[in-house]
Amino acid sequence: MNNGLAQSLYQQIGAANLREIVQTFYPLVKADPLLTELFPENLSETMNKQEAFLTGFLGGPPLYHQTYGHPMLRGRHMRFKITIDHARAWFECFSEAVNSVDLESGVKTELLEAVGRVAAALVNSE
Ligand code: HEM
Protein backbone atom coordinates (compact mmCIF):
# COMPACT_ATOMS: atom_id res chain seq x y z
CA MET A 1 0.00 0.00 0.00
CA ASN A 2 2.63 2.50 1.05
CA ASN A 3 4.73 3.55 -1.91
CA GLY A 4 7.21 5.43 0.25
CA LEU A 5 5.22 8.66 0.30
CA ALA A 6 3.70 9.65 3.62
CA GLN A 7 0.05 8.69 3.82
CA SER A 8 -2.43 11.27 5.01
CA LEU A 9 -4.22 10.67 8.28
CA TYR A 10 -7.39 10.42 6.17
CA GLN A 11 -5.90 7.50 4.21
CA GLN A 12 -4.72 5.80 7.37
CA ILE A 13 -8.16 6.08 8.96
CA GLY A 14 -10.17 5.29 5.84
CA ALA A 15 -13.47 6.80 4.70
CA ALA A 16 -15.59 4.04 6.26
CA ASN A 17 -14.01 4.42 9.71
CA LEU A 18 -14.28 8.20 9.52
CA ARG A 19 -17.99 7.91 8.74
CA GLU A 20 -18.41 5.45 11.61
CA ILE A 21 -16.67 7.85 14.01
CA VAL A 22 -18.95 10.75 12.99
CA GLN A 23 -22.09 8.60 13.17
CA THR A 24 -21.11 7.39 16.66
CA PHE A 25 -20.02 10.83 17.85
CA TYR A 26 -23.22 12.87 17.42
CA PRO A 27 -25.54 10.58 19.40
CA LEU A 28 -22.97 10.84 22.23
CA VAL A 29 -23.06 14.63 21.89
CA LYS A 30 -26.88 14.59 22.06
CA ALA A 31 -26.68 12.44 25.21
CA ASP A 32 -24.23 14.82 26.89
CA PRO A 33 -25.96 17.09 29.45
CA LEU A 34 -23.82 20.12 28.61
CA LEU A 35 -23.72 19.79 24.82
CA THR A 36 -27.20 18.57 23.99
CA GLU A 37 -28.97 21.96 23.97
CA LEU A 38 -26.51 23.42 21.45
CA PHE A 39 -27.32 20.89 18.75
CA PRO A 40 -30.41 20.48 16.56
CA GLU A 41 -32.79 17.54 17.06
CA ASN A 42 -32.07 16.25 13.57
CA LEU A 43 -28.35 15.68 13.29
CA SER A 44 -28.09 14.46 9.70
CA GLU A 45 -26.98 17.80 8.23
CA THR A 46 -24.52 18.30 11.09
CA MET A 47 -23.09 14.83 10.50
CA ASN A 48 -22.73 15.44 6.76
CA LYS A 49 -20.92 18.70 7.38
CA GLN A 50 -18.60 17.20 9.97
CA GLU A 51 -17.75 14.22 7.79
CA ALA A 52 -17.02 16.56 4.86
CA PHE A 53 -14.95 18.85 7.06
CA LEU A 54 -12.87 16.10 8.66
CA THR A 55 -12.23 14.49 5.26
CA GLY A 56 -10.44 17.61 4.03
CA PHE A 57 -8.94 18.53 7.39
CA LEU A 58 -7.23 15.13 7.63
CA GLY A 59 -5.75 15.35 4.14
CA GLY A 60 -8.50 13.84 1.98
CA PRO A 61 -10.55 15.61 -0.72
CA PRO A 62 -11.73 19.11 0.31
CA LEU A 63 -15.43 18.18 0.43
CA TYR A 64 -16.50 20.83 2.92
CA HIS A 65 -14.83 23.63 0.95
CA GLN A 66 -16.42 22.43 -2.28
CA THR A 67 -19.94 22.55 -0.89
CA TYR A 68 -19.95 25.18 1.86
CA GLY A 69 -16.89 27.36 1.18
CA HIS A 70 -14.16 28.20 3.65
CA PRO A 71 -14.92 26.52 7.00
CA MET A 72 -13.98 29.56 9.16
CA LEU A 73 -14.68 27.30 12.11
CA ARG A 74 -14.12 29.89 14.81
CA GLY A 75 -16.50 32.27 13.07
CA ARG A 76 -19.13 29.57 12.52
CA HIS A 77 -18.98 28.66 16.22
CA MET A 78 -19.27 32.24 17.50
CA ARG A 79 -23.06 32.07 17.78
CA PHE A 80 -22.57 29.42 20.49
CA LYS A 81 -21.07 30.12 23.90
CA ILE A 82 -18.26 27.57 24.11
CA THR A 83 -16.45 27.29 27.44
CA ILE A 84 -13.49 25.06 28.28
CA ASP A 85 -16.03 22.65 29.81
CA HIS A 86 -17.89 22.43 26.48
CA ALA A 87 -14.60 21.78 24.68
CA ARG A 88 -13.70 19.05 27.18
CA ALA A 89 -17.13 17.42 26.85
CA TRP A 90 -16.92 17.59 23.03
CA PHE A 91 -13.47 16.02 23.13
CA GLU A 92 -14.62 13.24 25.51
CA CYS A 93 -17.44 12.30 23.12
CA PHE A 94 -15.07 12.40 20.16
CA SER A 95 -12.52 10.21 21.99
CA GLU A 96 -15.23 7.68 22.81
CA ALA A 97 -16.30 7.58 19.15
CA VAL A 98 -12.69 7.16 17.99
CA ASN A 99 -12.13 4.37 20.49
CA SER A 100 -15.19 2.52 19.18
CA VAL A 101 -13.50 1.83 15.83
CA ASP A 102 -10.62 -0.50 15.14
CA LEU A 103 -7.59 1.67 14.36
CA GLU A 104 -3.91 1.53 15.16
CA SER A 105 -3.29 3.38 18.43
CA GLY A 106 -0.79 5.78 16.82
CA VAL A 107 -3.40 6.83 14.29
CA LYS A 108 -5.97 7.38 17.05
CA THR A 109 -3.50 9.51 18.99
CA GLU A 110 -2.71 11.67 15.97
CA LEU A 111 -6.38 12.11 15.15
CA LEU A 112 -7.25 13.06 18.73
CA GLU A 113 -4.36 15.51 18.94
CA ALA A 114 -5.45 17.18 15.71
CA VAL A 115 -9.11 17.65 16.67
CA GLY A 116 -8.15 18.44 20.28
CA ARG A 117 -6.19 21.46 19.06
CA VAL A 118 -9.21 22.66 17.08
CA ALA A 119 -11.55 22.14 20.05
CA ALA A 120 -9.26 24.23 22.28
CA ALA A 121 -9.14 26.97 19.63
CA LEU A 122 -12.96 27.15 19.50
CA VAL A 123 -13.35 28.14 23.16
CA ASN A 124 -14.87 31.62 22.97
CA SER A 125 -16.38 32.17 26.41
CA GLU A 126 -15.19 32.19 30.06
C1 HEM B 1 -15.20 22.85 21.30
C2 HEM B 1 -16.39 22.28 21.36
C3 HEM B 1 -17.37 22.37 20.21
C4 HEM B 1 -18.69 22.69 20.32
C5 HEM B 1 -19.45 23.00 21.61
C6 HEM B 1 -19.24 22.68 18.98
C7 HEM B 1 -20.56 22.96 18.66
C8 HEM B 1 -21.07 23.03 17.40
C9 HEM B 1 -22.45 23.34 17.07
C10 HEM B 1 -23.54 23.64 18.10
C11 HEM B 1 -22.57 23.31 15.74
C12 HEM B 1 -23.85 23.58 14.91
C13 HEM B 1 -24.55 22.29 14.61
C14 HEM B 1 -25.69 22.50 13.65
O1 HEM B 1 -26.50 23.40 13.88
O2 HEM B 1 -25.74 21.77 12.65
C15 HEM B 1 -21.27 22.99 15.20
C16 HEM B 1 -21.00 22.89 13.86
C17 HEM B 1 -19.80 22.45 13.35
N1 HEM B 1 -18.69 22.10 14.06
FE1 HEM B 1 -18.47 22.25 16.05
N2 HEM B 1 -18.27 22.34 18.08
C18 HEM B 1 -17.10 22.13 18.79
C19 HEM B 1 -15.90 21.73 18.28
C20 HEM B 1 -15.67 21.43 16.95
C21 HEM B 1 -14.43 20.90 16.43
C22 HEM B 1 -13.20 20.56 17.29
C23 HEM B 1 -14.59 20.76 15.09
C24 HEM B 1 -13.65 20.24 14.05
C25 HEM B 1 -12.65 19.40 14.30
C26 HEM B 1 -15.93 21.22 14.77
C27 HEM B 1 -16.49 21.24 13.50
C28 HEM B 1 -17.72 21.68 13.19
C29 HEM B 1 -18.23 21.78 11.83
C30 HEM B 1 -17.48 21.44 10.56
C31 HEM B 1 -19.53 22.27 11.93
C32 HEM B 1 -20.49 22.61 10.79
C33 HEM B 1 -20.28 24.09 10.47
C34 HEM B 1 -21.34 24.60 9.52
O3 HEM B 1 -21.17 24.49 8.30
O4 HEM B 1 -22.36 25.11 9.99
N3 HEM B 1 -16.56 21.61 15.91
N4 HEM B 1 -20.39 22.82 16.22
Side-chain angles (χ1 to χ4, degrees), residues 35 83-93 119 123:
L35 299 176
T83 65
I84 185 75
D85 288 339
H86 289 96
R88 286 201 182 108
W90 190 103
F91 185 76
E92 285 307 313
C93 293
V123 172

Side-chain angles (χ1 to χ4, degrees), residues 38-40 46 49-50 53 64 76-77 80 87 90 118-119 122:
L38 298 179
F39 286 83
T46 314
K49 285 179 165 176
Q50 186 62 279
F53 173 77
Y64 185 96
R76 289 193 206 252
H77 284 77
F80 310 108
W90 190 103
V118 178
L122 294 179

Side-chain angles (χ1 to χ4, degrees), residues 30-61:
K30 269 317 262 184
D32 183 276
L34 196 58
L35 299 176
T36 186
E37 65 182 22
L38 298 179
F39 286 83
E41 237 10 88
N42 182 335
L43 290 164
S44 56
E45 176 78 3
T46 314
M47 287 182 182
N48 288 341
K49 285 179 165 176
Q50 186 62 279
E51 188 180 331
F53 173 77
L54 289 173
T55 297
F57 175 70
L58 299 170

Side-chain angles (χ1 to χ4, degrees), residues 7-8 40 59 99 120:
Q7 279 200 316
S8 68
N99 284 320

